[in-house]
Amino acid sequence: MADINIPSSPIRKNDSAFQIECKFALEPSLTRLFEKARSAGWDPQHIALAVAALGWELLVDQRDRVECEGCGIEH
């Protein structure tokens, strides 16, 4: 996988330019992953849905970890 560029400035929530920058940084790696999955025989629609679902699950897991910091529950 390709190296991913670091953000040009601190995280800015609700900033469309920051979101575009993040998308630009991730695109080469996701494109390679997509092509590897297609080469393995996976259907493009299933690949896209799986990537979206995994992204959502990672977001929820990260949110849960932040909410539980110091609550004595290990994830």
Side-chain angles (χ1 to χ4, degrees), residues 1-4 24-35:
M1 294 249 167
D3 290 334
I4 296 176
F24 184 77
L26 295 177
E27 188 274 332
S29 295
L30 280 174
T31 297
R32 282 200 236 343
L33 178 62
F34 189 90
E35 290 304 321

Side-chain angles (χ1 to χ4, degrees), residues 14-66:
N14 301 320
D15 181 336
S16 62
F18 192 74
Q19 182 62 36
I20 291 168
E21 182 181 352
C22 183
K23 184 178 171 183
F24 184 77
L26 295 177
E27 188 274 332
S29 295
L30 280 174
T31 297
R32 282 200 236 343
L33 178 62
F34 189 90
E35 290 304 321
K36 286 179 77 170
R38 281 192 71 194
S39 294
W42 290 100
D43 175 75
Q45 183 175 353
H46 287 105
I47 299 165
L49 291 171
V51 168
L54 288 168
W56 180 258
E57 291 168 11
L58 289 169
L59 178 64
V60 169
D61 184 57
Q62 179 64 33
R63 183 200 63 208
D64 291 347
R65 287 175 191 258
V66 169

